[in-house]
Each structure stands twice: as C-alpha cells, then as structure tokens.
Amino acid sequence: MSNLLLLIPIALFLGLLGLGAFLWSLRSGQFDDMEGAANRILFDDDDVAPPGNSKKFHQGDS
C-alpha cells in the first residue's frame, strides 16, 4: 500500500509533463506541415549529379 502512495503522484506528474510537452509542441508549430514530409518521399532526386563525377559514362567508352 505504501508503494501506491509513491507511484500515483509520480504517474500523475509524468502524465502532466507529457501533456505539457504536447501542448508546447502544438503552440510552437511542430505539427504545421503534416503533408510535406509524406509527399517528399514520392519524388526522385535523380537530376542532381553526384559530386566529383562530372564526366558522363558511355557504354562504348572504356
């Protein structure tokens, strides 16, 4: 029984701490762009050449 007297206030404190962190993240704009990261994975970045590779490789060249 004495364990509950210690664990219940700790659990309530941690719950309020988590709720406070969630509300802070809402107010600071952490969840503003929900679609950007989800759509960014659909696009390829193939038009950017790797650094140091300025020559194009042709199949006939060796």
Side-chain angles (χ1 to χ4, degrees):
M1 183 68 179
S2 64
N3 291 338
L4 287 178
L5 294 177
L6 179 66
L7 291 177
I8 289 175
I10 291 173
L12 289 174
F13 173 73
L14 289 176
L16 289 174
L17 187 67
L19 180 64
F22 176 70
L23 292 175
W24 171 80
S25 67
L26 282 178
R27 290 188 186 133
S28 67
Q30 296 290 322
F31 300 109
D32 283 347
D33 185 19
M34 296 297 287
E35 297 295 323
N39 291 334
R40 206 171 300 133
I41 196 170
L42 299 175
F43 300 109
D44 290 334
D45 292 334
D46 290 341
D47 35 322
V48 178
N53 190 10
S54 60
K55 295 181 182 179
K56 289 190 176 183
F57 178 77
H58 296 286
Q59 288 182 352
D61 296 342
S62 52

